Amino acid sequence: MKEISCRLLVIGAGPGGYVCAIRAAQLGIDTVIVEALKTGGACLNVGCIPSKALIHAADEYEKLRHAASGSNPFGLSAQTPALDLGRAVAWKDAIVGRLTGGVSGLLKKAKVKSIAGRARFRDGKTVEVETETGLQVVRAETVVIATGSEPVELDVLPFGGSVMSSTEALALTEAPERLVVVGAGYIGLELGTAFAKLGSNVTVVEALPRILPQYDAELTRPVAKRLEELGVKLLTGAKAKRLTGAGKAIAVETAEGKEVRLAADKILVTVGRRPAIENWGLEELDLDRDGKFLRIDDQCRTSMRGVYAIGDVTGEPMLAHRAMAQGQMVAEIVAGHRRSWDKRCIPAICFTDPEIVTAGLGPEEARRTGREIRLGQFPLSANGRAMTLAAESGFVRVVARADNNLVLGIQAVGRGVSELSGAFALALEMGARLDDIAGTIHAHPTQSEAFQEAALKALGHPLHI
Ligand SMILES: Cc1cc2nc3c(=O)[nH]c(=O)nc-3n(C[C@H](O)[C@H](O)[C@H](O)COP(=O)(O)OP(=O)(O)OC[C@H]3O[C@@H](n4cnc5c(N)ncnc54)[C@H](O)[C@@H]3O)c2cc1C
C-alpha cells in the first residue's frame, strides 16, 4: 500500500474535475486527480463531443439524401449516397481520443498528479484508490467531489440487450431499422433526430404532453415540425410499460389510455441522468443532500469543512460548462481568492434540428418576477443570411425589463444558432440594455443581425420587419 499527501485532491476527471485540477496547479497548488474510467468524463467520452460528432455526420448524410431526392432548391443532385456508420464512429472516436489525450497532456503540463482507479473515502481527508498496481492512499487538505452523473434506468426497461442508454447508442456501427426513443428531453431528441437522418424509423415516447418540456412551446414548435418532416413519430403523454416480443418491441400506454405495441430493433432510454453518489464512500461522510444531489453553497462548499462538490453531482443544470466554471472557481477559492458563484446565466443549448439556445430568463419566468417586461422577437425568415442558408425556420427573442431596458433573457431557435450563445451570455453577464445590443454593429450578412433586430423590436423600432 502506497500513501501520498497533497493539498488538493480532485475525484473525477470530467470537465468539472479536470478544469479544477488544471487551474489549481496553475495557481501553485499541489494537486492530485483520480479518475476511475477515462479522462474527460461523460462530456468528452460519451456525451457532448461524441453526440455532436454523430449529429454532424447524420446532417451531412441527410443533405446528400436530400440532394439525391432532387427536392433541394440549389439544383444539387447526387446519386444513391451511402454512409458507412462504422467509419463515422471511428472518426468520432478519433476526435474523442485527440481531446482526452489533450486533457491528459494539459494535466501533465500543469504538473497535476493523475491516478487511475476508483476513489473511495475513508474519511473527509483520506481516500483510497484501487489502482492496477495496488491500493493507493491519498491524504488531502481539501477534497473536490466531481464524480458526475449516470443515465437513469427505467425499472420496466433495464439496460441490456436491445435496451440502451446514450452511451451504447453513440457506439452503434449500424443505424437500427426501427428505433424507439423513450424520453423527449434534449439527449433523446438530439440522438433520435440523428438516427432518423441516418435512415432509422424513429418513434419517440414521452410521458409529458410535449417534447422538450423544459423549453417554452414557441421555442420547441420548429423542432416538432422538423421531426415530422423527418418522419419521426411522436407519442406524447405516453408511458413505456415493458419490453415485449422477445425484446423486439415495447408496450406503451398512450395518452388515451390504450396499450400499443411498438416494434423496435433498439430502444434508447433517455429519461434523465442521476448524480453519481454511490460506490465512493458517501456513507463515510456527513454531507447534506439537496434531493438526490449533494447540497452546495455559493462557493461549492458541501456541509463538511474542506470538502467541495462541483458539476453534475451537485444538480441542475447538468451541463459541462457549468461544471467547468464551478471547477475553475473552486480552484481559485482553494488558492485563497475571494470568489463566489455570481453568474447571471448558464446558457443551455439543444443541438436538435433546428437548434435551441436559452440564456437567462424566458418570458414566463421574467413575468413571474412581478416586473413589467418588454419582448422583442425577430423571425429568421426576415434575415438575409438565414435565407442564403435555406434555414428560415426559427427566431431570436429578447426579454427585458420595461422600466430600464435591462436584458433579462435571450432565446433563439434556428439552424446554427448555438454559435450565438456566446453573444447572448456575454450580453447578460455584462448587464446589457436593449440599447447596447441595438447600438452594436452586427456584421452583415449574419444570423446575429436577428439578435440586434430583436432588441430593436423590443425598443419599438425594428428596421427589417
Ligand atoms: C449524450 C450526452 C450529451 C450531452 N451533451 C451535452 C452538451 O451538448 N452540452 C453540455 O454542456 N453538456 C452535455 N452533456 C452533459 C455533460 O456531459 C455533463 O454535464 C458533464 O460531463 C458533467 O461534468 P462532470 O465533471 O460533473 O462529470 P462527468 O463528466 O460525469 O465526469 C465525472 C467523472 O468522475 C469519474 N468518477 C466517478 N466516480 C469516481 C470515483 N469514485 N473515483 C474516481 N473517478 C470517479 C467518472 O468516471 C467520470 O469520468 C451531455 C451528456 C450526455 C450523456
Side-chain angles (χ1 to χ4, degrees), residues 401-456:
R401 271 170 63 164
D403 57 350
N404 61 6
N405 292 342
L406 180 73
V407 179
L408 300 173
I410 310 160
Q411 301 84 39
V413 52
R415 167 127 48 96
V417 293
S418 54
E419 293 301 331
L420 298 180
S421 63
F424 296 173
L426 188 65
L428 288 165
E429 281 303 329
M430 301 205 61
R433 313 266 155 159
L434 289 171
D435 321 69
D436 298 314
I437 298 164
T440 301
I441 298 176
H442 286 72
H444 178 75
T446 62
Q447 294 197 92
S448 72
E449 288 170 282
F451 179 29
Q452 184 182 17
E453 285 283 356
L456 283 166

Coordinates of all heavy atoms in Angstrom, one line a residue, residues 401-456:
R401 N -36.5 44.2 -19.0 CA -37.3 45.0 -18.1 C -37.8 46.2 -18.8 O -37.1 46.8 -19.6 CB -36.4 45.5 -16.9 CG -36.4 44.5 -15.8 CD -35.4 44.9 -14.8 NE -35.7 46.1 -14.1 CZ -35.1 46.5 -13.0 NH1 -34.2 45.7 -12.4 NH2 -35.4 47.7 -12.4
A402 N -39.1 46.5 -18.6 CA -39.8 47.6 -19.3 C -39.3 48.9 -18.8 O -39.2 49.9 -19.5 CB -41.3 47.5 -19.2
D403 N -38.9 49.0 -17.5 CA -38.6 50.3 -16.9 C -37.2 50.8 -17.3 O -37.0 52.0 -17.5 CB -38.7 50.2 -15.3 CG -37.8 49.1 -14.7 OD1 -37.3 48.3 -15.5 OD2 -37.7 49.1 -13.5
N404 N -36.2 49.9 -17.4 CA -34.9 50.4 -17.7 C -34.2 49.6 -18.9 O -33.0 49.8 -19.1 CB -34.0 50.3 -16.5 CG -33.8 48.9 -16.0 OD1 -34.3 48.0 -16.6 ND2 -33.2 48.8 -14.8
N405 N -34.9 48.7 -19.6 CA -34.4 48.0 -20.7 C -33.3 47.0 -20.4 O -32.6 46.5 -21.3 CB -33.9 49.0 -21.8 CG -35.0 49.7 -22.5 OD1 -36.2 49.4 -22.3 ND2 -34.7 50.8 -23.1
L406 N -33.1 46.7 -19.1 CA -32.1 45.7 -18.8 C -32.5 44.3 -19.4 O -33.6 43.9 -19.1 CB -31.9 45.6 -17.3 CG -30.9 44.6 -16.8 CD1 -29.5 45.1 -17.0 CD2 -31.1 44.2 -15.3
V407 N -31.6 43.7 -20.1 CA -31.9 42.4 -20.7 C -31.9 41.4 -19.7 O -30.9 41.2 -18.9 CB -30.9 42.1 -21.9 CG1 -31.2 40.8 -22.5 CG2 -31.0 43.2 -22.9
L408 N -33.0 40.6 -19.6 CA -33.1 39.5 -18.6 C -32.9 38.2 -19.2 O -32.5 37.2 -18.5 CB -34.5 39.6 -18.0 CG -34.9 40.9 -17.3 CD1 -36.4 40.8 -16.9 CD2 -34.1 41.1 -16.1
G409 N -33.2 38.0 -20.5 CA -33.0 36.7 -21.1 C -33.0 36.8 -22.6 O -33.6 37.8 -23.2
I410 N -32.4 35.8 -23.2 CA -32.4 35.8 -24.7 C -32.6 34.3 -25.1 O -31.9 33.4 -24.5 CB -31.0 36.3 -25.2 CG1 -30.7 37.6 -24.6 CG2 -31.0 36.4 -26.8 CD1 -29.2 38.0 -24.7
Q411 N -33.4 34.1 -26.1 CA -33.6 32.7 -26.6 C -33.6 32.8 -28.1 O -33.9 33.8 -28.7 CB -35.0 32.2 -26.2 CG -35.2 32.1 -24.7 CD -35.7 33.4 -24.1 OE1 -36.5 34.1 -24.7 NE2 -35.3 33.8 -22.9
A412 N -33.2 31.6 -28.7 CA -33.3 31.5 -30.2 C -33.5 30.1 -30.5 O -33.2 29.2 -29.8 CB -31.9 32.0 -30.8
V413 N -34.2 30.0 -31.7 CA -34.3 28.6 -32.3 C -34.0 28.8 -33.8 O -34.5 29.8 -34.4 CB -35.7 28.0 -32.0 CG1 -36.9 28.9 -32.4 CG2 -35.8 26.7 -32.7
G414 N -33.2 28.0 -34.3 CA -32.8 28.1 -35.7 C -31.6 27.3 -36.0 O -30.9 26.9 -35.1
R415 N -31.4 27.1 -37.3 CA -30.2 26.3 -37.7 C -28.9 27.1 -37.3 O -28.8 28.3 -37.6 CB -30.2 26.0 -39.2 CG -28.8 25.5 -39.7 CD -28.9 24.3 -40.5 NE -29.8 24.2 -41.6 CZ -29.6 24.5 -42.8 NH1 -28.4 25.0 -43.2 NH2 -30.5 24.3 -43.7
G416 N -28.0 26.4 -36.6 CA -26.7 27.0 -36.3 C -26.7 28.1 -35.2 O -25.7 28.7 -34.9
V417 N -27.9 28.3 -34.5 CA -27.9 29.4 -33.6 C -27.1 29.1 -32.3 O -26.9 30.0 -31.5 CB -29.4 29.8 -33.2 CG1 -30.1 30.4 -34.3 CG2 -30.2 28.6 -32.6
S418 N -26.6 27.8 -32.1 CA -25.8 27.5 -31.0 C -24.6 28.5 -30.9 O -24.1 28.9 -29.9 CB -25.3 26.1 -31.0 OG -24.6 25.8 -32.3
E419 N -24.1 28.9 -32.1 CA -23.0 29.8 -32.1 C -23.3 31.2 -31.7 O -22.4 32.0 -31.5 CB -22.3 29.8 -33.6 CG -21.7 28.5 -34.0 CD -20.6 28.1 -33.0 OE1 -19.9 28.9 -32.4 OE2 -20.4 26.8 -32.9
L420 N -24.6 31.5 -31.5 CA -24.9 32.8 -31.0 C -24.9 32.8 -29.4 O -25.1 33.9 -28.8 CB -26.3 33.3 -31.4 CG -26.6 33.4 -32.9 CD1 -28.0 33.9 -33.2 CD2 -25.6 34.5 -33.5
S421 N -24.8 31.7 -28.8 CA -24.9 31.5 -27.4 C -23.9 32.4 -26.6 O -24.2 32.9 -25.5 CB -24.8 30.1 -26.9 OG -23.6 29.6 -27.2
G422 N -22.7 32.5 -27.2 CA -21.6 33.3 -26.5 C -22.0 34.8 -26.4 O -21.9 35.4 -25.4
A423 N -22.6 35.3 -27.5 CA -23.0 36.7 -27.6 C -24.2 36.9 -26.6 O -24.2 37.9 -25.9 CB -23.5 37.1 -29.0
F424 N -25.1 35.9 -26.5 CA -26.2 36.0 -25.5 C -25.7 36.1 -24.1 O -26.1 36.9 -23.3 CB -27.2 34.9 -25.7 CG -27.9 34.7 -27.0 CD1 -28.7 33.6 -27.3 CD2 -27.8 35.7 -28.0 CE1 -29.3 33.5 -28.5 CE2 -28.4 35.6 -29.2 CZ -29.2 34.5 -29.5
A425 N -24.8 35.1 -23.8 CA -24.3 35.1 -22.4 C -23.5 36.3 -22.0 O -23.6 36.8 -20.9 CB -23.4 33.8 -22.2
L426 N -22.7 36.8 -23.0 CA -21.9 38.0 -22.8 C -22.8 39.2 -22.5 O -22.5 40.0 -21.5 CB -21.0 38.3 -24.0 CG -20.0 39.4 -23.8 CD1 -18.9 39.0 -22.8 CD2 -19.3 39.7 -25.1
A427 N -23.8 39.3 -23.3 CA -24.8 40.4 -23.1 C -25.4 40.4 -21.7 O -25.4 41.4 -21.0 CB -25.9 40.4 -24.1
L428 N -25.7 39.2 -21.2 CA -26.4 39.1 -19.9 C -25.3 39.3 -18.8 O -25.6 40.0 -17.8 CB -27.0 37.7 -19.7 CG -28.3 37.6 -20.6 CD1 -28.7 36.1 -20.7 CD2 -29.5 38.4 -19.9
E429 N -24.1 38.7 -18.9 CA -23.1 38.9 -17.9 C -22.7 40.4 -17.7 O -22.4 40.8 -16.6 CB -21.9 38.1 -18.2 CG -21.9 36.6 -17.9 CD -22.3 36.3 -16.4 OE1 -21.9 37.0 -15.5 OE2 -22.9 35.3 -16.2
M430 N -22.7 41.1 -18.9 CA -22.2 42.5 -18.8 C -23.4 43.4 -18.5 O -23.2 44.7 -18.5 CB -21.6 42.8 -20.1 CG -20.4 41.9 -20.4 SD -19.1 42.6 -21.4 CE -18.5 44.0 -20.5
G431 N -24.6 42.9 -18.2 CA -25.7 43.7 -17.8 C -26.1 44.6 -19.0 O -26.5 45.8 -18.8
A432 N -26.1 44.1 -20.2 CA -26.5 44.9 -21.4 C -28.0 45.4 -21.3 O -28.8 44.7 -20.7 CB -26.3 44.1 -22.6
R433 N -28.2 46.5 -21.8 CA -29.6 47.1 -22.0 C -29.9 46.8 -23.5 O -29.0 46.6 -24.3 CB -29.6 48.6 -21.8 CG -28.9 49.0 -20.5 CD -29.9 49.1 -19.3 NE -29.1 48.9 -18.1 CZ -29.6 49.3 -16.9 NH1 -30.7 49.9 -16.8 NH2 -28.9 49.1 -15.8
L434 N -31.2 46.9 -23.8 CA -31.6 46.7 -25.2 C -30.9 47.7 -26.1 O -30.4 47.3 -27.2 CB -33.1 47.0 -25.3 CG -34.1 46.0 -24.7 CD1 -35.5 46.5 -24.7 CD2 -34.0 44.6 -25.4
D435 N -30.6 48.9 -25.6 CA -30.0 49.9 -26.4 C -28.5 49.5 -26.7 O -28.0 49.9 -27.8 CB -29.9 51.3 -25.6 CG -31.2 51.5 -24.8 OD1 -31.5 50.7 -23.8 OD2 -32.0 52.3 -25.2
D436 N -27.9 48.8 -25.8 CA -26.5 48.3 -26.1 C -26.5 47.4 -27.3 O -25.6 47.4 -28.1 CB -25.9 47.6 -24.9 CG -25.8 48.6 -23.7 OD1 -25.3 49.7 -23.9 OD2 -26.2 48.2 -22.5
I437 N -27.4 46.4 -27.2 CA -27.5 45.4 -28.3 C -27.9 46.1 -29.6 O -27.3 45.9 -30.7 CB -28.4 44.3 -28.0 CG1 -27.9 43.6 -26.7 CG2 -28.5 43.3 -29.1 CD1 -28.9 42.7 -26.0
A438 N -28.9 47.0 -29.5 CA -29.4 47.7 -30.7 C -28.3 48.6 -31.3 O -28.2 48.8 -32.5 CB -30.6 48.5 -30.4
G439 N -27.5 49.1 -30.4 CA -26.4 50.1 -30.9 C -25.1 49.4 -31.3 O -24.2 50.1 -31.6
T440 N -25.0 48.1 -31.2 CA -23.8 47.4 -31.6 C -23.9 47.0 -33.0 O -24.9 46.5 -33.5 CB -23.6 46.1 -30.7 OG1 -23.6 46.5 -29.3 CG2 -22.4 45.4 -31.1
I441 N -22.8 47.3 -33.8 CA -22.9 46.9 -35.2 C -22.7 45.4 -35.3 O -21.7 44.9 -34.9 CB -21.8 47.7 -36.0 CG1 -22.0 49.2 -36.0 CG2 -21.8 47.2 -37.5 CD1 -21.0 50.0 -36.6
H442 N -23.7 44.8 -35.9 CA -23.6 43.3 -36.1 C -23.3 43.1 -37.6 O -23.9 43.7 -38.4 CB -24.9 42.6 -35.7 CG -25.2 42.6 -34.2 ND1 -25.4 43.7 -33.4 CD2 -25.1 41.5 -33.4 CE1 -25.6 43.3 -32.2 NE2 -25.4 42.0 -32.1
A443 N -22.3 42.3 -37.8 CA -21.8 42.1 -39.2 C -22.9 41.6 -40.1 O -23.7 40.7 -39.7 CB -20.6 41.2 -39.2
H444 N -22.9 42.0 -41.3 CA -23.9 41.6 -42.4 C -23.2 40.8 -43.4 O -22.1 41.1 -43.8 CB -24.5 42.9 -43.0 CG -25.4 42.5 -44.1 ND1 -26.7 42.1 -43.8 CD2 -25.3 42.6 -45.5 CE1 -27.3 41.9 -45.0 NE2 -26.5 42.2 -46.0
P445 N -23.7 39.8 -43.9 CA -25.0 39.1 -43.5 C -24.7 38.0 -42.5 O -24.0 37.0 -42.9 CB -25.5 38.6 -44.8 CG -24.3 38.3 -45.7 CD -23.2 39.1 -45.2
T446 N -25.2 38.1 -41.4 CA -25.1 37.0 -40.4 C -26.4 36.9 -39.7 O -27.2 37.8 -39.6 CB -24.0 37.3 -39.3 OG1 -24.4 38.5 -38.6 CG2 -22.7 37.6 -39.9
Q447 N -26.6 35.7 -39.1 CA -27.8 35.4 -38.3 C -27.8 36.3 -37.0 O -28.8 36.5 -36.4 CB -27.9 34.0 -37.9 CG -28.1 33.1 -39.2 CD -28.6 31.7 -38.8 OE1 -29.8 31.5 -38.7 NE2 -27.7 30.8 -38.5
S448 N -26.6 36.8 -36.6 CA -26.5 37.6 -35.4 C -27.3 38.9 -35.6 O -27.7 39.5 -34.6 CB -25.1 37.9 -35.0 OG -24.5 38.8 -35.9
E449 N -27.5 39.3 -36.8 CA -28.3 40.5 -37.1 C -29.7 40.4 -36.5 O -30.4 41.4 -36.1 CB -28.4 40.9 -38.6 CG -27.1 41.4 -39.1 CD -27.1 41.4 -40.6 OE1 -27.0 40.4 -41.3 OE2 -27.4 42.5 -41.2
A450 N -30.2 39.1 -36.4 CA -31.5 38.9 -35.9 C -31.6 39.2 -34.4 O -32.6 39.6 -33.8 CB -32.0 37.4 -36.1
F451 N -30.4 39.1 -33.7 CA -30.3 39.4 -32.3 C -30.4 41.0 -32.2 O -31.2 41.4 -31.3 CB -28.9 39.0 -31.8 CG -28.6 39.2 -30.4 CD1 -29.6 39.3 -29.4 CD2 -27.2 39.4 -30.0 CE1 -29.2 39.5 -28.1 CE2 -26.9 39.6 -28.7 CZ -27.9 39.7 -27.7
Q452 N -29.7 41.7 -33.0 CA -29.8 43.2 -33.0 C -31.3 43.6 -33.3 O -31.8 44.5 -32.6 CB -28.9 43.8 -34.0 CG -28.8 45.3 -34.0 CD -27.8 45.8 -35.0 OE1 -27.5 45.1 -36.0 NE2 -27.4 47.0 -34.9
E453 N -31.8 42.9 -34.3 CA -33.2 43.3 -34.7 C -34.2 43.0 -33.6 O -35.2 43.7 -33.4 CB -33.6 42.6 -36.0 CG -32.9 43.2 -37.2 CD -33.6 44.5 -37.7 OE1 -34.6 44.9 -37.1 OE2 -33.1 45.1 -38.7
A454 N -34.0 41.9 -32.9 CA -34.9 41.5 -31.8 C -34.9 42.6 -30.7 O -35.9 43.0 -30.2 CB -34.5 40.2 -31.2
A455 N -33.7 43.2 -30.4 CA -33.5 44.3 -29.5 C -34.2 45.5 -30.0 O -34.9 46.2 -29.3 CB -32.1 44.5 -29.2
L456 N -34.0 45.8 -31.3 CA -34.7 47.0 -31.9 C -36.2 46.8 -31.8 O -36.9 47.8 -31.5 CB -34.3 47.1 -33.4 CG -32.9 47.7 -33.6 CD1 -32.4 47.5 -35.1 CD2 -32.8 49.2 -33.3

